[in-house]
Amino acid sequence: MFPITTKKKSNPTTSIGLKRRTLIISAALKAFAEHGYSGASIQKIADSANLSKTNVLYYFRSKKLLYSEVMSSILSIWDSSFDRVTVNDCPAQALANYIAEKMENSRTMPLSSKVFAIEIINGGPNLDTSFKHTHKLWVQDRITLIEDWMTAGKMDNINPEYLLHHIWASTQYYADFSYQIENVHGAHMSQQEFTHATNTVIKLILKGCGLIVPEHYLS
Amino acid sequence: MFPITTKKKSNPTTSIGLKRRTLIISAALKAFAEHGYSGASIQKIADSANLSKTNVLYYFRSKKLLYSEVMSSILSIWDSSFDRVTVNDCPAQALANYIAEKMENSRTMPLSSKVFAIEIINGGPNLDTSFKHTHKLWVQDRITLIEDWMTAGKMDNINPEYLLHHIWASTQYYADFSYQIENVHGAHMSQQEFTHATNTVIKLILKGCGLIVPEHYLS
DNA sequence: TAGAAAACTGACCAAACGGTCTACTTTTTA
DNA sequence: TAAAAAGTAGACCGTTTGGTCAGTTTTCTA
């Protein structure tokens, strides 16, 4: 009838295939972060990966599919130790760790943060509803955690929803607005300066919540 | 030789011309916020403004020019009462007012904030150096103001640069990430809820700086 | 009210876009 | 080592893009 292998690349298990796919994804990540979805042409992505346009389309059958794989590779990094925090844990320690983690994400993976930011700003047209739902459930669960801390008198009474937004905003900013930061700062932030910024964010938020900053984050 | 009026639209003083220009700019603002620069085609902008593509190009001779006019219309709103604050003013009052102003900007002009955010995320390729320079000088000036407050013992010792970033991050977030906020919140934020969010941000930051929240911003 | 200026439009263009198809080369495997 | 599979690239296609131009209609003004 017809060959068994009707679908191509259902098995990206081969050595060269995997290499190429990750190479293309990282090139696409950079292009999407710098030019947005529409501005990042397949040709540009191919050029920056030193591949032909056709070769890129061999591994990712369409631009939308490439973008969605880039996006899912981004979302898979969102796990955090804060996911497993319980009411018995110390809120100061848990929140400080969470902020430090998010800041470290901003430092080491700014491009991922930028692509995600653009996606949200544009209304998340390419985010499937399952992600939105999962995220919403996660937030509701963490809100009850924070509320439990408050009723236990472990921290100030602050709207937990706005607190979470506040944490995301102030940490992701260091990735998304890195160019603005560099312009103000005069140069690229060193790792020391980044640690200082992290401790400043931790100090501001924890003190704002009526919490004492753990020793480890004092500088 | 040739007609005197070689340049068109050097005088957009006529009634209909001004109306059309502002109409196009607002349509373009929305398109740029929702689809980015490349994704917002002149055709789409024209459609949403109920004009022909050629008519749009009659008022703005190129897409880049239209974008830069949109951008300058955004930047012209950046003035704030914080510009005129001196060391003799009360830091708690001044910072609270500044945060409230920025939050009100996020509520009433989210599209402007989004277009600006995308521009910065992409590295600000369309921002002229004069703006960057002006902004840098503004920041340096405000940093010395905050430092003066600190040496006067009016507030905690906190890196002023990071403090400013913190304020911008947590306020602009309510415009740029409005879709994420709505997804978590379950619905569009009402004005009351927005005021509550504003007061929460003010409380977090001021308390984080060792300042007492002015009565007017308690809720 | 006539003429000049401004506003507007459809036809058209070259370039870039995402994507397909065929054919060739390299790698893997039996 | 030969066949099968995977990888690669050039030619090509329809569509959309930003933009031009010549000509028409509307509005303003002397």
Side-chain angles (χ1 to χ4, degrees), chain A residues 33-34 38-39 120 122-123 132 136 156-157 161-162 165-166 169-170 173 179 183 185 193 203-204 207-208, chain B residues 33-34 38-39 120 122-123 132 136 156-157 161-162 165-166 169 173 176 179 183 185 193 203-204 207-208:
Chain A
E34 287 175 357
S38 302
I120 297 294
N122 291 340
K132 295 182 187 173
K136 191 172 178 176
D156 279 7
N157 260 320
E161 194 177 317
Y162 301 145
H165 286 311
H166 195 84
S170 52
Y173 187 91
Y179 290 106
N183 179 57
H185 195 68
E193 290 168 327
K203 178 180 173 185
L204 275 169
K207 192 167 179 185
Chain B
E34 287 175 357
S38 302
I120 297 295
N122 291 339
K132 296 182 186 172
K136 192 172 177 176
D156 279 7
N157 260 319
E161 193 177 319
Y162 301 145
H165 287 310
H166 195 83
Y173 187 91
D176 303 340
Y179 291 105
N183 179 57
H185 195 67
E193 291 168 327
K203 178 180 172 185
L204 275 168
K207 193 167 178 184

Side-chain angles (χ1 to χ4, degrees), chain A residues 23 26-28 30-31 43-51:
Chain A
L23 174 69
S26 77
K30 194 181 174 195
Q43 186 67 65
K44 278 185 202 160
I45 295 170
D47 288 349
S48 100
N50 277 324
L51 298 173

Side-chain angles (χ1 to χ4, degrees), chain B residues 156-193:
Chain B
D156 279 7
N157 260 319
I158 284 183
N159 186 304
E161 193 177 319
Y162 301 145
L163 173 59
L164 287 175
H165 287 310
H166 195 83
I167 291 173
W168 295 328
S170 51
T171 54
Q172 289 169 202
Y173 187 91
Y174 281 84
D176 303 340
F177 289 75
S178 61
Y179 291 105
Q180 169 127 317
I181 292 173
E182 284 181 23
N183 179 57
V184 166
H185 195 67
H188 190 267
M189 285 177 70
S190 70
Q191 189 160 351
Q192 279 186 28
E193 291 168 327

Side-chain angles (χ1 to χ4, degrees), chain A residues 24-46 48 56 60 62-74 110-119 122 126, chain B residues 35-38 118 121-123:
Chain A
I24 292 169
I25 283 187
S26 77
L29 179 71
K30 194 181 174 195
F32 287 137
E34 287 175 357
H35 308 290
Y37 175 78
S38 302
S41 67
I42 301 179
Q43 186 67 65
K44 278 185 202 160
I45 295 170
S48 100
V56 171
F60 301 91
S62 75
K63 190 183 176 181
K64 274 212 130 59
L65 207 141
L66 170 57
Y67 179 78
S68 74
E69 294 220 21
V70 168
M71 189 58 67
S72 70
S73 85
I74 291 173
L111 294 179
S112 300
S113 185
K114 285 177 184 178
V115 172
F116 181 78
I118 293 174
E119 175 70 24
N122 291 340
N126 298 299
Chain B
H35 308 290
Y37 175 78
S38 302
I118 294 174
I121 291 174
N122 291 339

Side-chain angles (χ1 to χ4, degrees), chain B residues 73-110:
Chain B
S73 85
I74 291 173
L75 299 181
S76 67
I77 319 173
W78 269 49
D79 297 319
S80 152
S81 65
F82 192 63
D83 301 353
R84 293 172 294 280
V85 169
T86 72
V87 69
N88 298 321
D89 291 312
C90 165
Q93 195 71 52
L95 287 176
N97 288 344
Y98 185 44
I99 293 167
E101 268 181 37
K102 295 244 106 189
M103 285 294 280
E104 189 63 7
N105 274 349
S106 287
R107 191 180 69 85
T108 59
M109 295 180 294

